């Protein structure tokens, strides 16, 4: 069903994701110390847990203490929760997650078919709570809401850098805030085997540096997720990305060992040998363990980036390909996948894999996760498979929230039939961790993942990026409230980066400067730091820098508006633009001088500040030329544009987003002459 959003008074709507229907009605419901909660319909431990957590967040925000929820005595309660039934024991694809919320000046009523639906409604209530001079209150509203897609995921790579259990729990809390419902854990890769195997303990013992989740810890995590309505899908990546398996079991490889845990990034050669029966014996036993451990219906087998080098170099494998009519390495991988799919099915699971697994020989029950483009998703659903979209949702590329937001698993121009479209289950935001540690993970995921969460939850018609950003700023506060460290950690990291070298005024300037720049994504980092390994500290200025600069985004909007204005030299907008550029130029020059006078990585960061000062100077010149209608020479313009597009690699990996609107000013100054 394609629903469109009915949002009246949308400027008053603080919610993210935006609900299907939001109507602001008259008045408000005061929230005072007498606020009370009653459960009228179905009640259980999961609902009680969610209510107590929600109440605690209300208490921490307001400073008040509220009575604990009561069951069956709804008459006078301020919030009545009416849930029809429990929902599935473990969260399940496609279960009813809808809820309806009715807030009047007398009472709030939350109705849902299942406990997961009620939990979504509670998160909505938490986003509605606000204060003014008269105190705390909920605005009177009528909300009817349900997700657009049943599969709204976040993939976490816990292999390249280790992610402690508590950090994952924090992400689960954040996911619940924005109604994401699948945590996909990428548990094995060349750089680490992160889950305990009881049948083949050398997998985690030799492949993890001791950094793995025990099965008991994983059970605890799965329960923590389920308590928040979130499924946990394990990914065991085969037959490539498998170096960590081969440290303890070198006989499974396609070339002789020995093997060591990989410390660098990229596509590695070590690959399981699809012609070796011992490989299937081990996978059978290990997948059996995983199938018993993870209650979810799906098991992700990875399947990505098999470079075939070990297969090409092994004559026995090439003979196997010829003898079995498999044509080439892709055929060999399809043979392997068919065998693995039978094992996955034997253990009662559905097979999910990256789009490389797509092959006409595989059964239609598989689910394909498209990461290399959208075409594979369309091919998969046309073949009768189900599919997820991750292309366009790679958080580690550090694109702006609006960029991810513009990607839709089922855009309006989609040529899929309604039946094919129904097989698009949703999508996943992906957080690969080559360039993120426990300390930086939150700031690389949040709050931008919330924009993707809205794409997966809200009707397709919800597309206004400005309105998304308005609500994203509020969502960021809510995400901090549940313990995420996307604001807190970068601030502490910057203090460590500066050390004793910068006195407080210089430190404050560096901190202000950092709000104007952005960290380069995976490609810029690879260019900038080719020698990095798993043990290189990720504690540089780039790691303290935001993924997206709100200030630069707002400046770009102001520049666009000004370019379409009269551009009067004395107009307030012109004066504001000049004042802004002058202030930033002074700030950036001070920072450049301060960093440049230091040593080591502080000095390395100086060119970024110098480049920013340069961009501001050029911007001022362009504004003045445009305002006074003085033409700028082509040579001048071309030289400035070339300099402004200096890549992030030249600035210790930092992007200068302000250089983009400055480039627009410069280009406009050129065309203004004609
Ligand atoms: C992938 O990004 N290799 C799935």
């Amino acid at each position: 069903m394609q629903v469109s959003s009915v949002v009246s008074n949308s400027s008053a709507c603080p919610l993210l994701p935006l609900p299907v229907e939001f109507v602001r009605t008259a008045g408000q419901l005061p929230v005072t110390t007498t606020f009370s909660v009653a459960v009228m319909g179905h009640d259980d431990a999961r609902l009680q847990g969610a209510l107590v957590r929600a109440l605690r967040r209300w208490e921490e925000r307001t400073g008040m203490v509220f009575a604990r929820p009561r069951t069956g005595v709804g008459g006078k309660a301020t919030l009545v929760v009416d849930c029809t039934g429990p929902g599935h024991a473990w969260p399940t694809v496609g279960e009813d997650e809808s809820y309806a919320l009715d807030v009047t000046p007398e009472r709030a009523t939350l109705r849902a078919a299942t406990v997961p639906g009620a939990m979504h409604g509670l998160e909505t209530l938490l986003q509605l709570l606000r204060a003014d001079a008269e105190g705390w209150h909920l605005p009177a509203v009528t909300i009817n809401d349900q997700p657009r897609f049943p599969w709204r995921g976040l993939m976490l790579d816990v292999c390249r850098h280790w992610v402690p259990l508590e950090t994952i729990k924090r992400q689960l809390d954040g996911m619940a805030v924005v109604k994401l419902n699948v945590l996909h854990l990428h548990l094995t890769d060349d750089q680490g085997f992160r889950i305990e195997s009881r049948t083949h303990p050398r997998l985690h013992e030799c492949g993890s540096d001791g950094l793995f989740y025990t099965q008991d810890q994983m059970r605890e995590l799965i329960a923590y997720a389920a308590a928040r309505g979130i499924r946990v899908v394990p990914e065991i990546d085969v037959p490539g990305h498998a170096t960590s398996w081969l440290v303890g079991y070198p006989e499974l490889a396609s070339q002789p060992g020995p093997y060591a845990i990989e410390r660098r990034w990229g596509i590695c050669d070590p690959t399981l040998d699809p012609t070796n029966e011992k490989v299937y014996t081990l996978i059978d036993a290990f997948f059996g363990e995983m199938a018993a451990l993870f209650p979810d219906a799906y098991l992700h087998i990875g399947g990505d980036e098999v470079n075939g080098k070990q297969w090409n170099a092994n004559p026995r494998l090439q003979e196997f390909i010829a003898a079995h009519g498999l044509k080439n390495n892709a055929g060999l991988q399809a043979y392997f996948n068919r065998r693995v799919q039978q094992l996955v099915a034997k253990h009662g699971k559905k097979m999910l894999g990256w789009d490389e697994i797509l092959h006409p020989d595989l059964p239609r029950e598989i689910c394909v996760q498209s990461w290399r483009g959208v075409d594979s998703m369309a091919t998969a659903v046309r073949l009768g498979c189900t599919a997820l979209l991750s292309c366009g949702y790679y958080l580690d590329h550090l694109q702006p929230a609006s960029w991810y937001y513009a990607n839709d698993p089922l855009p309006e121009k989609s040529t899929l039939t309604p039946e094919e479209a129904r097989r698009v289950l949703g999508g996943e935001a992906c957080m690969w961790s080559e360039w993120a540690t426990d300390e930086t993970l939150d700031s690389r995921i949040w709050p931008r993942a919330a924009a993707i969460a809205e794409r997966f939850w809200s009707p397709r018609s919800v597309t206004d990026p400005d309105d998304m950003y308005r609500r994203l700023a509020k969502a960021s506060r809510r995400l901090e409230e549940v313990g995420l460290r996307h604001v807190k950690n970068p601030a502490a990291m910057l203090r460590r980066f500066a050390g004793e070298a910068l006195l407080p005024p210089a430190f404050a300037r560096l901190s202000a400067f950092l709000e104007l720049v952005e960290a380069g994504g995976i490609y810029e980092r690879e260019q900038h730091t080719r020698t990095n390994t798993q043990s290189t500290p990720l504690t540089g200025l780039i790691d303290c820098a935001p993924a997206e600069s709100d200030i630069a985004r707002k400046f770009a909007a102001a520049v666009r508006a000004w370019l379409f204005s009269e551009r009067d030299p004395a107009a307030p907008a012109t004066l504001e633009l000049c004042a802004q550029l002058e202030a930033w130029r002074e700030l950036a020059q001070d920072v450049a001088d301060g960093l440049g006078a230091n040593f080591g990585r502080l000095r390395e960061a100086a060119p970024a500040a110098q480049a920013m000062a340069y961009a501001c100077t050029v911007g001022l010149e362009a504004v003045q030329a445009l305002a006074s209608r003085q033409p700028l020479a082509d040579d001048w313009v071309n030289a400035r544009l070339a300099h402004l597009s200096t890549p992030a690699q030249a600035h210790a990996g930092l992007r200068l987003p302000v250089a983009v609107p400055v480039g627009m000013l410069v280009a406009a100054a050129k065309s203004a002459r004609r």
Side-chain angles (χ1 to χ4, degrees):
M1 176 186 53
Q2 186 56 46
V3 282
S4 62
S5 162
V6 182
V7 179
S8 74
N9 303 348
S10 103
S11 65
C13 182
L15 303 173
L16 191 152
L18 207 63
V20 172
E21 190 185 325
F22 173 92
V23 180
R24 176 79 170 91
T25 51
Q28 57 192 38
L29 173 63
V31 174
T32 67
T33 49
T34 62
F35 182 85
S36 59
V37 182
V39 176
M40 288 308 288
H42 168 82
D43 195 9
D44 61 21
R46 186 159 65 148
L47 181 59
Q48 284 293 323
L51 284 169
V52 168
R53 285 196 306 275
L55 272 175
R56 189 61 194 152
R57 279 161 63 194
W58 289 50
E59 289 177 341
E60 286 172 348
R61 215 186 300 168
T62 63
M64 293 184 259
V65 177
F66 304 116
R68 298 299 95 177
R70 301 180 63 194
T71 300
V73 286
K76 294 213 171 56
T78 335
L79 168 61
V80 173
V81 178
D82 188 349
C83 209
T84 313
H88 295 281
W90 296 107
T92 302
V93 187
E95 82 175 301
D96 189 334
E97 296 179 88
S98 67
Y99 70 94
L101 194 55
D102 193 25
V103 181
T104 67
E106 290 75 43
R107 168 165 355 294
T109 309
L110 168 59
R111 291 189 184 84
T114 63
V115 171
M119 291 195 287
H120 292 317
L122 283 174
E123 291 293 346
T124 296
L125 265 177
L126 276 153
Q127 293 184 23
L128 285 172
L129 181 67
R130 62 190 194 188
D132 60 19
E134 287 164 36
W136 290 93
H137 60 264
L138 292 165
V141 289
T142 301
I143 293 174
N144 282 300
D145 203 8
Q146 67 185 63
R148 179 175 169 210
F149 291 108
W151 192 307
R152 306 179 305 280
L154 172 68
M155 187 225 72
L156 266 189
D157 166 12
V158 296
C159 301
R160 274 48 182 269
H161 283 102
W162 166 244
V163 182
L165 205 68
E166 292 308 311
T167 302
I168 306 183
K169 288 185 179 172
R170 221 164 53 224
Q171 312 312 314
L172 287 164
D173 288 326
M175 290 170 68
V177 169
V178 295
K179 302 179 171 58
L180 289 172
N181 68 351
V182 184
L183 175 69
H184 162 177
L185 286 177
H186 180 77
L187 285 169
T188 67
D189 211 307
D190 299 301
Q191 295 81 1
F193 196 101
R194 304 283 182 218
I195 181 75
E196 176 193 18
S197 169
R198 294 185 181 164
T199 60
H200 293 83
R202 290 209 309 281
L203 287 169
H204 68 273
E205 283 170 6
C206 304
S208 75
D209 302 301
L211 299 172
F212 64 92
Y213 313 107
T214 65
Q215 294 198 7
D216 286 344
Q217 285 173 326
M218 190 51 70
R219 253 186 285 278
E220 177 190 328
L221 190 77
I222 293 164
Y224 190 92
R228 285 150 184 79
I230 298 173
R231 301 162 44 214
V232 180
V233 175
E235 178 186 346
I236 309 297
D237 202 348
V238 289
H241 285 281
T243 310
S244 64
W245 299 56
L246 305 173
V247 187
Y249 298 92
E251 65 276 17
L252 304 183
S254 304
Q255 290 288 328
Y259 289 90
I261 297 174
E262 179 60 54
R263 304 300 177 188
R264 293 177 189 275
W265 321 135
I267 302 175
C268 304
D269 300 343
T271 307
L272 301 180
D273 178 354
T275 68
N276 182 348
E277 286 305 313
K278 280 192 193 146
V279 165
Y280 302 104
T281 308
L282 187 149
I283 288 179
D284 186 10
F286 177 58
F287 278 21
E289 286 186 83
M290 295 300 103
L293 178 60
F294 290 88
D296 200 73
Y298 287 81
L299 202 158
H300 198 307
I301 64 137
D304 56 323
E305 298 182 320
V306 176
N307 71 10
K309 286 190 187 166
Q310 286 203 337
W311 292 356
N312 290 338
N314 188 330
R316 194 173 45 74
L317 267 64
Q318 294 305 315
E319 279 159 26
F320 186 94
I321 288 172
H324 289 76
L326 300 174
K327 289 201 187 104
N328 51 23
N329 286 346
L332 184 60
Q333 190 175 352
Y335 164 85
F336 172 81
N337 286 341
R338 256 195 329 274
R339 302 271 316 254
V340 170
Q341 192 274 332
Q342 284 159 5
L343 296 174
V344 171
K346 171 183 152 189
H347 293 294
K349 302 291 181 185
K350 295 183 195 166
M351 185 166 106
L352 168 63
W354 299 107
D355 53 53
E356 287 95 331
I357 69 165
L358 198 53
H359 193 279
D361 290 355
L362 275 180
R364 300 294 168 257
E365 296 90 76
I366 62 167
C367 180
V368 174
Q369 184 165 12
S370 294
W371 71 282
R372 295 180 301 172
V374 291
D375 292 351
S376 54
M377 191 184 78
T379 308
V381 297
R382 285 193 175 116
L383 280 171
C385 307
T386 53
L388 301 171
L389 186 65
S390 280
C391 175
Y393 302 127
Y394 269 34
L395 291 166
D396 56 310
H397 290 198
L398 304 192
Q399 298 284 358
S402 54
W403 186 88
Y404 298 108
Y405 195 61
N407 295 314
D408 193 316
L410 283 175
E412 207 170 351
K413 63 177 189 320
S414 167
T415 54
L416 298 177
T417 65
E419 195 203 329
E420 289 160 355
R422 266 194 296 281
R423 287 198 283 271
V424 175
L425 300 179
E428 289 188 356
C430 293
M431 183 62 219
W432 298 99
S433 69
E434 286 94 337
W435 302 99
T437 61
D438 178 34
E439 198 173 26
T440 61
L441 194 71
D442 296 21
S443 73
R444 275 39 186 146
I445 296 176
W446 307 105
R448 291 169 308 129
I452 303 175
E454 173 154 293
R455 179 56 51 241
F456 297 158
W457 178 281
S458 302
R460 181 163 66 197
S461 58
V462 177
T463 53
D464 177 359
D466 292 336
D467 195 56
M468 178 273 288
Y469 275 117
R470 176 182 68 79
R471 292 174 292 107
L472 192 67
K474 295 178 199 290
S476 179
R477 299 279 173 90
R478 303 285 82 82
L479 292 163
E480 280 194 274
E481 195 176 272
V482 293
L484 285 163
R485 301 179 182 176
H486 54 294
V487 179
K488 173 155 99 178
N489 276 7
M493 290 176 66
L494 188 62
R495 284 193 290 280
R496 181 180 56 206
F497 174 81
E500 311 284 300
L502 299 180
L503 294 173
F507 179 78
R509 285 195 293 272
L510 178 62
S511 188
F513 168 69
L514 216 54
E515 289 186 34
L516 306 175
V517 300
E518 293 173 352
I522 181 165
Y523 298 119
E524 286 127 312
R525 291 200 76 140
E526 275 168 5
Q527 296 297 319
H528 169 55
T529 38
R530 286 185 177 283
T531 55
N532 265 41
T533 72
Q534 198 174 30
S535 52
T536 307
L538 296 184
T539 56
L541 199 55
I542 184 172
D543 301 297
C544 310
E548 182 170 12
S549 163
D550 286 335
I551 298 177
R553 176 173 53 79
K554 287 176 185 159
F555 177 73
V559 165
R560 276 194 300 274
W562 186 78
L563 280 171
F564 282 103
S565 73
E566 286 297 310
R567 303 199 297 250
D568 185 333
T574 309
L575 301 179
E576 254 172 55
L577 214 52
C578 291
Q580 181 69 92
L581 285 164
E582 277 163 16
W584 284 346
R585 179 173 62 181
E586 190 179 332
L587 172 76
Q589 194 58 57
D590 278 353
V591 169
D593 295 346
L595 293 174
N598 270 285
F599 60 91
R601 56 188 187 169
L602 269 77
R603 182 192 281 276
E604 279 169 32
Q610 197 63 59
M612 177 70 183
Y614 172 83
C616 294
T617 301
V618 173
L620 278 164
E621 287 168 340
V623 169
Q624 275 148 16
L626 284 161
S628 60
R629 281 138 178 93
Q630 293 288 313
L632 287 175
D634 282 1
D635 289 353
W636 188 97
V637 166
N638 293 338
R640 298 305 181 280
L641 287 178
H643 205 160
L644 285 172
S645 56
T646 306
Q649 297 85 285
H651 309 139
L654 294 171
R655 295 176 184 156
L656 299 180
V658 169
V660 177
V662 166
M664 284 164 54
L665 288 168
V666 172
K670 181 177 176 179
S671 56
R673 200 157 68 102
R674 305 228 159 86

